[in-house]
Amino acid sequence: MPVKVAEEWLNACAGCEISILNIGDALLDLLPELDFVHIPVLIDHKYYGQRGDKDTLEIPEAVVGIVSGGVRNEENIHVLEEMRAKTQILIALGSCAVHGGIPAQANMFASDEIFEWVFRGSPSTDAAPDPDHPNVPKWTAACQAADEVVKVDIAIPGCPPHPELIAEAITALLEGKTSWSLPEKSVCDTCPVIREEKSSEGPIKRCFENLEFDPEQGLDKMRCINEQGMLCLGPVTLAGCAGSSGAPRCVQARTACRGCFGPIRKGARPMVDMMGAMTSIGMDPKSLVDRRAIMNRYIGGHGNLRPLPARPVR
Ligand code: SF4
Ligand code: SF4
Ligand code: SF4
């Protein structure tokens, strides 16, 4: 009998759902064993009855629940709580659901500052009041990861997660397991570049500057990106993004890891650890533009990013 699956997107961009489709041929093998009872990206399943005739939001019961996206408004909370109530094993899919993701960069600002800028302050905006309609869900105080609101059983990080990881986690559940996780190792642990433990001198290069590498040669002939003086978050980021293809996905494309898989373990402090890693090879963390945002690019949930207290006027 196929396993019932419910899928939902909260504060999401649909990239995680595209990643499910990108499982490709392996998905064709999995599909006969899965019965998607709810998946708004594919099926127009209404929350309040197919004719809008119900008073309460309802998602069908399922064994496995998958949610992408973080929590940004009251509707997201409502849907997430319903997913938790109706599913036995809940998977947080993607960095938004697992860590808050890119939208949680907004956590550096108070909601009223954001609304002021978006609806009145931005030069390209015709000034208007904040939205105030019962059908527009209210914002939460911060953009949160799913596990800040409900219990999550399995976390599949990545922006987006590698399709192989999604297939692996689903296969584990179909085999009767109730958990799945990535081994705790860093992106650097899977990176074959040359390391000399010493960075080039000078301020940290911006991402639009060129790295040095020979496109005719393999990664094992390229020097570590941090050692070339450009920030690479590999030392503090959980490995796994490349699936079975080996080297970290961004480094394969000759660009720096931006940390999309999040910290190597729960409770880690990637910003502090990264500053230590930088200092140890002679990089100057103070020369990094927009340091707090860059080092917490995908992990602004869990209180990692919050508005700074106003500085006293001198
Ligand atoms: S994790 Fe990335 S791909 Fe997935 S919903 Fe968030 S922004 Fe989109
Ligand atoms: S810092 Fe980046 S380039 Fe250097 S080893 Fe780690 S992942 Fe590879
Ligand atoms: S290299 Fe880093 S940013 Fe790039 S996909 Fe892997 S974890 Fe994400």
Side-chain angles (χ1 to χ4, degrees), residues 82-98:
E82 174 70 359
M83 282 289 284
R84 178 69 277 183
K86 294 294 180 63
T87 60
Q88 294 169 27
I89 298 171
L90 187 63
I91 300 176
L93 179 65
S95 298
C96 291
V98 178

Side-chain angles (χ1 to χ4, degrees), residues 12-306:
C13 77
C16 285
E17 282 72 18
I18 300 287
S19 225
I20 296 178
L21 296 179
N22 277 348
I23 293 174
D25 288 352
L27 184 60
L28 297 179
D29 296 334
L30 286 173
L31 277 178
E33 299 186 58
L34 305 174
D35 175 14
F36 279 90
V37 293
H38 176 84
I39 174 165
V41 72
L42 293 177
I43 305 170
D44 184 18
H45 178 255
K46 305 281 192 269
Y47 292 130
Y48 291 88
Q50 283 308 96
R51 295 186 188 144
D53 50 343
K54 299 230 167 115
D55 296 329
T56 49
L57 181 148
E58 273 182 22
I59 289 173
E61 293 198 352
V63 176
V64 178
I66 304 174
V67 283
S68 70
V71 173
R72 178 72 274 191
N73 62 37
E74 287 175 0
E75 183 189 70
N76 298 153
I77 294 182
H78 198 169
V79 169
L80 180 56
E81 286 176 342
E82 174 70 359
M83 282 289 284
R84 178 69 277 183
K86 294 294 180 63
T87 60
Q88 294 169 27
I89 298 171
L90 187 63
I91 300 176
L93 179 65
S95 298
C96 291
V98 178
H99 300 295
I102 292 283
Q105 288 269 300
N107 290 351
M108 286 189 292
F109 305 93
S111 301
D112 51 1
E113 268 183 275
I114 296 171
F115 276 71
E116 190 55 40
W117 175 256
V118 169
F119 291 106
R120 289 167 291 281
S122 155
S124 59
T125 299
D126 290 334
D130 294 348
D132 181 22
H133 187 278
N135 289 348
V136 178
K138 295 258 180 297
W139 256 30
T140 45
C143 180
Q144 293 177 299
D147 71 350
E148 294 180 82
V149 177
V150 299
K151 178 175 172 284
V152 164
D153 303 298
I154 292 177
I156 310 179
C159 182
H162 197 290
E164 277 178 25
L165 303 184
I166 305 172
E168 229 180 71
I170 291 177
T171 305
L173 297 181
L174 290 173
E175 285 168 355
K177 299 178 183 139
T178 51
S179 64
W180 174 92
S181 62
L182 283 164
E184 286 184 359
K185 57 182 179 180
S186 76
V187 167
C188 289
D189 290 337
T190 64
C191 185
V193 298
I194 300 166
R195 275 166 272 194
E196 296 169 6
E197 312 296 331
K198 188 169 176 2
S199 171
S200 55
E201 290 182 0
I204 292 168
K205 288 184 187 150
R206 306 291 301 273
C207 57
F208 38 76
E209 291 182 61
N210 288 334
L211 289 169
E212 281 176 29
F213 64 91
D214 179 349
E216 303 297 327
Q217 295 200 310
L219 275 180
D220 57 347
K221 299 285 184 289
M222 182 175 109
R223 191 164 176 214
C224 166
I225 296 172
N226 273 334
E227 293 185 7
Q228 291 196 41
M230 184 182 285
L231 181 78
C232 178
L233 288 174
V236 296
T237 302
L238 181 67
C241 63
S244 54
S245 73
R249 221 162 15 167
C250 295
V251 185
Q252 282 186 45
R254 306 299 203 265
T255 187
C257 170
R258 290 148 302 124
C260 84
F261 265 53
I264 298 164
R265 62 190 64 83
K266 241 186 167 157
R269 301 173 67 199
M271 184 161 166
V272 176
D273 295 343
M274 190 64 216
M275 302 236 274
M278 292 167 85
T279 312
S280 73
I281 58 166
M283 290 173 92
D284 176 12
K286 287 203 199 74
S287 68
L288 179 64
V289 176
D290 217 358
R291 193 164 63 233
R292 211 160 63 99
I294 296 290
M295 290 205 186
N296 292 288
R297 196 189 305 236
Y298 294 89
I299 57 168
H302 299 116
N304 285 328
L305 284 177
R306 54 184 79 191

